[in-house]
Amino acid sequence: MKPMDEITFIVLCIQRLALYLEISQEEVYTRFNAKKIIENFILPCFSVLKTQNWLIVQNELVGLMQN
């Protein structure tokens, strides 16, 4: 199991991106899974991401979802 702060961060990312992109949280999660964003980007980069401004994180995640 992942430490709770990583899980909380992932949930917050999903919630905020859903609001920003005006799609459901389920759709964000589906896109994250399709592109393996959680496994390949969020978890390996968590220590850096959690210290970044949310807009930087949001832009990175949106870019990953759209590629």
Side-chain angles (χ1 to χ4, degrees), residues 19-60:
L19 287 172
Y20 175 75
L21 297 171
E22 299 179 347
I23 59 177
S24 71
Q25 290 180 32
E26 292 79 15
E27 178 64 22
V28 173
Y29 185 72
T30 298
R31 291 184 191 186
F32 272 21
N33 278 341
K35 304 233 180 222
K36 299 192 182 299
I37 291 173
I38 293 172
E39 297 91 341
N40 294 335
F41 182 75
I42 294 177
L43 294 178
C45 301
F46 175 71
S47 62
V48 173
L49 290 174
K50 71 179 180 180
T51 65
Q52 298 297 312
N53 178 291
W54 170 247
L55 290 177
I56 292 170
V57 175
Q58 173 183 285
N59 292 340
E60 289 289 329

Side-chain angles (χ1 to χ4, degrees), residues 2-17 25 28-29 32 37-39 42-43 46 54 61:
K2 297 292 173 195
M4 198 52 144
D5 56 345
E6 289 182 26
I7 295 168
T8 302
F9 184 79
I10 291 165
V11 170
L12 288 173
C13 286
I14 290 171
Q15 291 172 341
R16 290 184 180 209
L17 285 175
Q25 290 180 32
V28 173
Y29 185 72
F32 272 21
I37 291 173
I38 293 172
E39 297 91 341
I42 294 177
L43 294 178
F46 175 71
W54 170 247
L61 293 173

